[in-house]
Amino acid sequence: MDSTQIEPLFTRSDGSYLCARWGRPIVPVIFGVEDDTVALLKGAFEVVCLMAGHNMDELDAELGVNVMMLFCRDWDELSGVPDLDRLVPELGDVVTRLIKADANQYRIFRFDEAGAIKACFIFLRMDVALEQVPAEALALGQAVQAIVLWSDVAFESMNPLALVDGKTVLRPDIADVIRAVYDPVMPAVAQDASHALRLAARIGTRT
């Protein structure tokens, strides 16, 4: 990927550029699915973290867990989750918007004082469309979209995943971008589009 392909991945619908990576190890917890699916989802995070050169942990010293993935059948169920409104103070407004948009997934990020990601809340409503997605693809796709703060429209016209010999994998070009974002020489957060040029340069040094 060159900078003209990378820049749209972090250019938001309002025209602003914003890229952020995690500033601490990822500690996920998953609710609303069977134990084998929990293991699959955590395994996807492990794979993506390993690829990015980032770490996972068993406990976040500040938050306990910092990635919460919650599956439901109806968005109204979120309002009944104990203490979720403490973690997501705008929960009522979020639920209203999701119902109105007939959405099936939503992510909320929280950031530390430096602007790096410190928490991510992932809500998934298992509608007909999501139920048709293979579990492996769903797990990998959610991990990819949580490892970096992408543009809110980054994957509207493209899929970060690909099917190779019947197996769902992360697209190599997207993997290159993630690795570049996590390169130690790169900032944890960037708000200038020139950052895309630096990412492209890091990708170029590895090819």
Side-chain angles (χ1 to χ4, degrees):
M1 274 193 168
D2 60 27
S3 62
T4 62
Q5 296 168 303
I6 295 172
E7 187 175 335
L9 296 174
F10 303 106
T11 301
R12 307 189 68 77
S13 54
D14 63 4
S16 64
Y17 184 95
L18 178 59
C19 174
R21 69 188 185 205
W22 283 82
R24 60 184 66 192
I26 290 177
V27 183
V29 63
I30 296 101
F31 298 103
V33 291
E34 301 294 332
D35 289 345
D36 56 346
T37 304
V38 169
L40 183 67
L41 290 162
K42 287 188 175 181
F45 274 97
E46 290 173 358
V47 168
V48 172
C49 283
L50 181 63
M51 181 274 301
H54 193 56
N55 297 319
M56 289 182 64
D57 209 339
E58 296 295 325
L59 183 69
D60 183 295
E62 177 186 357
L63 304 171
V65 298
N66 53 37
V67 175
M68 176 184 288
M69 184 179 293
L70 197 154
F71 290 78
C72 64
R73 289 288 177 182
D74 188 278
W75 287 128
D76 284 328
E77 294 176 26
L78 297 182
S79 301
V81 177
D83 298 326
L84 185 58
D85 56 344
R86 294 185 180 182
L87 298 172
V88 185
E90 66 273 35
L91 182 63
D93 291 337
V94 168
V95 169
T96 299
R97 292 201 307 270
L98 292 175
I99 293 174
K100 184 176 181 180
D102 194 30
N104 60 17
Q105 57 184 291
Y106 188 71
R107 275 167 297 280
I108 302 172
F109 289 88
R110 296 287 186 259
F111 306 91
D112 61 23
E113 293 181 355
I117 301 170
K118 75 172 185 179
C120 179
F121 302 95
I122 304 168
F123 303 138
L124 297 164
R125 180 175 67 89
M126 295 305 293
D127 62 359
V128 173
L130 277 189
E131 286 181 343
Q132 294 177 347
V133 178
E136 295 82 1
L138 181 62
L140 183 58
Q142 293 303 319
V144 168
Q145 293 186 74
I147 192 68
V148 170
L149 180 67
W150 305 96
S151 160
D152 55 331
V153 294
F155 301 124
E156 282 190 350
S157 59
M158 66 171 288
N159 192 328
L161 308 181
L163 197 62
V164 178
D165 296 329
K167 182 179 180 180
T168 300
V169 299
L170 176 59
R171 282 177 41 169
D173 52 350
I174 298 298
D176 282 342
V177 172
I178 294 172
R179 281 191 288 263
V181 169
Y182 276 86
D183 190 306
V185 305
M186 296 298 291
V189 60
Q191 295 177 289
D192 191 288
S194 62
H195 175 257
L197 291 169
R198 296 185 63 191
L199 291 176
R202 299 312 303 169
I203 292 172
T205 61
R206 292 193 296 271
T207 57

